[in-house]
Structure formats: structure tokens, C-alpha cells
Amino acid sequence: PPPPPPPPPAAAAATSTTLPIVEVRSPQDFDDLCVRASATPPPVGGPVILDLYADWCGPCKQLTPKLEALVTAAGGTVRLAKVNVDNLPEIAQALQVASLPTVMLLHGGKIVDSFKGPPLAGTRAGVGCDAAVL
């Protein structure tokens, strides 16, 4: 039999809203995948870790895989939203990002925790977020 047709765009968008790791590609994505999702209960929403990075940032390249592993291990209780500040400077400016990497935790539609620079090694809290959420 022929393969099934691809899902309509609305269905593809709905799927991206439930993935544990997402790339924010627009201000609308940020609103939908981060702010609104953090104010919605799991599995559709829940706490969102924002990874604000740039491709040229060495410490960012070391931190992102650690955040991805942590979110994967959390089994859907938290989402990672990656924001390339070079592609979305308006988001970086709105969040007052002054250095990279910057990581923020959104919960209930608000920033509840954050850190800048590489975290302390070897601890769950070393990702800068409330370990109880993770």
C-alpha cells in the first residue's frame, strides 16, 4: 500500500507543542512553546527550561547536550526550548540576556529561576533550576 499522506500543518504544529525538546524559531513559537506551555499542565505543557545560546558560543555547545540529557531523563515532566539569540535578538532583548549561555526556567507563564554561564559540574541543581521541578 502507498505510504500515508503527511499530517496537515495544524497536526504537525500540535505535535511540536508536546515534544520534550523544541527549537524556538519565531516570537510566536516562543509564546506558544514556552510561555503558554509553561502555564499548561503536562503532558502538553509543564515547566520549560529556556536554553538561550549562539552557534559561536563554546560554553553553550558544552551545556546544551547536558540540558537535553536532563530533560530526556525527566520523561516529559519538563521541556527544553532552545533559543538561538542571533536568530531571535528580539527575544534575547526582551529577556535582557547579556551573556551566554543563559538558562531560564519558566513555570506558570513566568520566569522563576535563571543562571548565566556554565553551571557547576556534577549536580542536578547545577543546571540552575529548582531540582524539585525536575
Side-chain angles (χ1 to χ4, degrees):
T15 302
S16 71
T17 62
T18 59
L19 293 173
I21 300 173
V22 295
E23 182 76 32
V24 174
R25 300 189 188 280
S26 69
Q28 184 64 47
D29 273 359
F30 181 78
D31 192 45
D32 292 342
L33 301 176
C34 302
V35 178
R36 288 188 183 147
S38 76
T40 305
V44 174
V48 177
I49 298 171
L50 294 178
D51 177 14
L52 297 128
Y53 74 96
D55 291 334
W56 50 263
C57 171
C60 299
K61 291 178 183 180
Q62 294 174 352
L63 178 60
T64 297
K66 292 176 184 174
L67 293 173
E68 289 173 346
L70 200 97
V71 167
T72 300
T77 60
V78 66
R79 164 181 292 162
L80 176 64
K82 302 188 293 187
V83 180
N84 185 324
V85 298
D86 288 335
N87 296 341
L88 296 166
E90 64 273 27
I91 292 174
Q93 184 177 15
L95 295 173
Q96 301 178 345
V97 175
S99 62
L100 296 176
T102 294
V103 176
M104 298 179 176
L105 177 64
L106 288 174
H107 190 65
K110 300 181 193 285
I111 297 169
V112 296
D113 201 357
S114 67
F115 73 88
K116 296 173 168 85
L120 299 172
T123 64
R124 256 190 151 183
V127 296
C129 301
D130 183 354
V133 173
L134 302 175

